[in-house]
Amino acid sequence: MNLPFEQASDLLNFAQEKTDGWKMFIGGKWVDSTSGKRFVSYDPSTNQPLAEVPEGNAEDVSKAVEVAKDAFPSWNKLHIDERGVILRRFADKIRNWAETFGMLDALDSGNPYEAMVADAKKGAGLLDFFSGLGMEIKGQTIQTPGGGLNYTRMEAFGVVGRILPFNHPISFAAGKIAAPLVAGNTVVLKPAEQTPLSALLLGKLAEECLPPGVLNIVTGDGPNCGSALVRHPHVYRIAFTGGVETGRRIIQDAGIKTVSLELGGKNPLIIYPDADVKKVAAATVAGMNFSRSQGQSCGSNSRVFVHETQKGEFLKEVISLVKKIKCGMPTNPMIDMGPVISKEHYNRVMSYIESAKEEGAELIIGGRHPLNPELEDGNFIEPTVFSEVKHGMKIEQEEIFGPVMSVLSWNDEEKMLYEVNDVEYGLCANIWTNDVSRALRVSERVEAGYVWVNGHGGKRFKGAPFGGYKNSGIGREHSLDELISYTQIKNINIRYE
Ligand code: NAP
């Protein structure tokens, strides 16, 4: 195990120094907020302050957008291969610092260290992937009446505003700037208020690799800093990952802009009687993401529909697997699960657990703060599973975004499929069966943008479009669709005369 720093304070000092005292990164320079205000980022394992970062407002956002606008023509003029070379170098540097980013995110987000190291590499991998895909930005030639040439060009928008949630900080900061930058846009990035540190440290590597103004990183809260980016008149493309309510707000504020939204999920995992119970139990526990992010992942299979004939055996397996999950300090590489992001979110998750009990669901494991005194001050919640969950209960309908899984049982396929689809979300769905015809038929019936047969939504592949139906979002990522979504079509007519 290669731990990058012996003490958390050494790591924080290192990152503070690299970011010139936790400043924002605008136009290749490290700057304070114009108001001089700062806000605190807390360690969710202890609820103690970790660092103070600038509280950016509309004025700071405007400065970032203007330098990004100035940097756009020369960045966009580079051949796509040249941008690819630069971005691959950037990706290499991120990989070299993967352990450092992983430890910083373990402190700032509460997600386990090893998972965050993997996240840093995943973000770097997306920079490589989109750099390689760049030449797929192509146009069309179109037949014209009476001769001539008509063709299309896929052109960059200019400045892209990228707004991130808290749950996979470095993976999203690095990976979600890849497609817009490859396509020739410049970017203003706003990380979540709870997890700004790794995004700021990423600015140090951007300083070494990218021309000034190509990537700008502003910190601040959503209603001021984020909203100013959404409303800014020189930003015509907004890409947002976060909750449904914020997504609605962004659509209202954006006006005439191209907006993509990656929103929440309440993802079903359906178990047919022919599925191997041991395998499906293991996939269910893995796909709930107890271990990578305390269930704080949009793709978690938080609603499990098990056939009533397997319910007993399935629950027994699930309990034995969940018992093995070790809750602990996320900086300790030996643990599986850390705290949820904030005290406020802890209380929210706990209130869902209470509501489930009140509505008659049966708590079969977890549901409380771990008893370990070392974890007393943090936002830790044991991995929690409810059985006897009924369709329509609050925990079955609403995205909890925490370590709480609901198990429903079924015996009537039509009724079960109705319940599977009767939620506002439509991100992922998972189907477990060995019957190929059934797998194909049910894949078509589920209302979800990303379907696994005999797998779970935690497993994603570069190139496979990811995104949601219904209120889970607009647009697709991780694929050519994402790259193309950062371009707009220009049609050109030429007469031969
Ligand atoms: P959130 O509360 O919606 O916040 C996301 C980002 O939006 C933050 O940077 C936030 O800023 C900012 N924001 C808030 N209000 C804003 C406004 N009026 N205008 C512009 N920006 C605004 O989401 P979260 O709690 O961080 O993340 C959890 C949600 O993200 C879950 O619903 C999860 O399912 C979803 N998610 C979806 C995907 C996917 O791929 N579909 C992936 C990951 C997460 P501050 O936090 O700084 O205030």
Side-chain angles (χ1 to χ4, degrees):
M1 188 67 47
N2 234 349
L3 287 178
F5 292 88
E6 271 181 30
Q7 302 287 334
S9 54
D10 295 341
L11 167 59
L12 291 167
N13 288 339
F14 168 84
Q16 184 168 4
E17 192 189 304
K18 295 289 175 200
T19 57
D20 199 16
W22 293 122
K23 289 187 180 150
M24 296 190 284
F25 184 65
I26 297 180
K29 299 196 174 83
W30 296 96
V31 297
D32 280 318
S33 61
T34 45
S35 69
K37 286 189 188 164
R38 295 192 146 236
F39 67 93
V40 176
S41 190
Y42 290 92
D43 177 348
S45 302
T46 59
N47 285 308
Q48 292 301 309
L50 278 177
E52 280 189 10
V53 304
E55 189 178 318
N57 60 19
E59 211 179 321
D60 301 301
V61 167
S62 259
K63 284 185 180 166
V65 172
E66 292 315 317
V67 294
K69 190 165 171 268
D70 291 345
F72 170 69
S74 45
W75 178 248
N76 186 51
K77 208 172 166 194
L78 290 178
H79 187 270
I80 211 154
D81 268 354
E82 292 176 274
R83 288 199 292 273
V85 169
I86 294 171
L87 292 170
R88 284 195 182 99
R89 202 180 309 137
F90 188 33
D92 282 341
K93 285 188 183 265
I94 295 169
R95 266 186 291 269
N96 288 342
W97 275 16
E99 282 82 12
T100 300
F101 282 121
M103 194 52 96
L104 194 56
D105 272 355
L107 285 171
D108 203 20
S109 74
N111 293 338
Y113 165 70
E114 290 222 319
M116 293 301 93
V117 174
D119 262 20
K121 293 179 182 167
K122 194 169 153 196
L126 282 166
L127 280 157
D128 284 342
F129 170 69
F130 282 112
S131 297
L133 212 55
M135 291 302 287
E136 291 304 314
I137 299 180
K138 295 170 182 162
Q140 296 174 322
T141 55
I142 295 148
Q143 292 201 8
T144 56
L149 174 65
N150 181 296
Y151 68 100
T152 60
R153 280 172 51 80
M154 314 291 281
E155 296 189 346
F157 282 88
V159 183
V160 168
R162 242 323 189 173
I163 301 174
L164 304 181
F166 70 80
N167 58 329
H168 293 290
I170 186 60
S171 161
F172 287 167
K176 286 180 185 279
I177 57 174
L181 291 178
V182 169
N185 303 279
T186 53
V187 171
V188 177
L189 178 73
K190 192 203 95 61
E193 214 180 348
Q194 302 98 325
T195 53
L197 303 187
S198 56
L200 289 178
L201 187 59
L202 185 70
K204 182 66 200 170
L205 302 184
E207 187 184 14
E208 293 170 10
C209 297
L210 304 177
V214 167
L215 174 65
N216 306 279
I217 303 161
V218 293
T219 49
D221 68 9
N224 291 303
C225 185
S227 175
L229 186 54
V230 171
R231 291 164 189 264
H232 197 286
H234 294 152
V235 179
Y236 289 103
R237 175 74 172 90
I238 293 290
F240 171 74
T241 305
V244 171
E245 281 317 310
T246 318
R248 278 202 183 92
R249 195 59 215 260
I250 284 173
I251 289 281
Q252 281 169 5
D253 289 347
I256 306 168
K257 294 178 193 237
T258 302
V259 178
S260 55
L261 303 172
E262 286 283 340
L263 307 177
K266 192 73 190 175
N267 310 301
L269 187 146
I270 304 167
I271 307 171
Y272 279 92
D274 63 341
D276 178 316
V277 171
K278 271 191 192 299
K279 272 193 193 163
V280 73
T284 305
V285 173
M288 184 55 220
N289 295 309
F290 289 121
S291 291
R292 234 176 108 224
S293 59
Q294 302 73 249
Q296 300 166 126
S297 276
C298 55
S300 306
N301 43 244
S302 51
R303 291 189 305 151
V304 181
F305 292 80
V306 61
H307 191 267
E308 64 178 16
T309 55
Q310 296 148 304
K311 187 174 105 180
E313 202 188 340
F314 172 75
L315 290 178
K316 224 168 91 190
E317 279 295 323
V318 165
I319 291 172
S320 96
L321 291 166
V322 169
K323 273 187 182 158
K324 291 183 189 148
I325 296 172
K326 292 192 281 297
C327 266
M329 285 299 185
T331 47
N332 174 355
M334 306 311 287
I335 64 96
D336 303 309
M337 189 173 159
V340 298
I341 189 67
S342 64
K343 197 79 203 158
E344 188 191 1
H345 192 48
Y346 172 92
N347 290 335
R348 190 174 165 270
V349 175
M350 283 301 192
S351 78
Y352 275 108
I353 291 173
E354 286 314 307
S355 89
K357 291 182 195 161
E358 281 160 21
E359 287 192 275
E362 188 185 329
L363 177 66
I364 60 167
I365 189 161
R368 57 179 189 183
H369 197 110
L371 300 176
N372 179 352
E374 194 201 359
L375 310 182
E376 200 175 354
D377 296 330
N379 312 316
F380 294 87
I381 302 172
E382 285 182 348
T384 299
V385 182
F386 280 96
S387 73
E388 305 307 323
V389 175
K390 300 286 178 265
H391 181 57
M393 285 182 180
K394 210 170 152 200
I395 54 159
E396 194 262 346
Q397 287 286 305
E398 296 180 17
E399 187 189 41
I400 301 173
F401 216 55
V404 183
M405 187 167 82
S406 298
V407 181
L408 298 86
S409 58
W410 65 275
N411 59 20
D412 172 340
E413 189 189 40
E414 272 311 306
K415 182 166 175 283
M416 177 270 288
L417 288 176
Y418 168 79
E419 293 178 356
V420 158
N421 287 332
D422 188 31
V423 282
E424 68 167 309
Y425 298 101
L427 192 56
C428 304
N430 313 277
I431 302 156
W432 278 76
T433 179
N434 290 317
D435 178 335
V436 177
S437 311
R438 180 195 280 147
L440 296 175
R441 178 172 55 78
V442 178
S443 299
E444 289 179 15
R445 292 278 305 271
V446 290
E447 295 169 359
Y450 193 80
V451 178
W452 253 110
V453 174
N454 299 335
H456 62 78
K459 289 206 181 245
R460 310 213 190 116
F461 305 101
K462 290 196 274 290
F466 183 76
Y469 278 25
K470 304 197 284 191
N471 285 354
S472 288
I474 301 173
R476 294 294 178 269
E477 295 195 343
H478 297 169
S479 58
L480 184 58
D481 312 68
E482 180 177 355
L483 184 63
I484 299 297
S485 81
Y486 288 102
T487 65
Q488 49 193 340
I489 297 174
K490 178 178 281 175
N491 184 259
I492 299 172
N493 297 278
I494 302 174
R495 276 176 66 157
Y496 305 148
E497 275 168 24

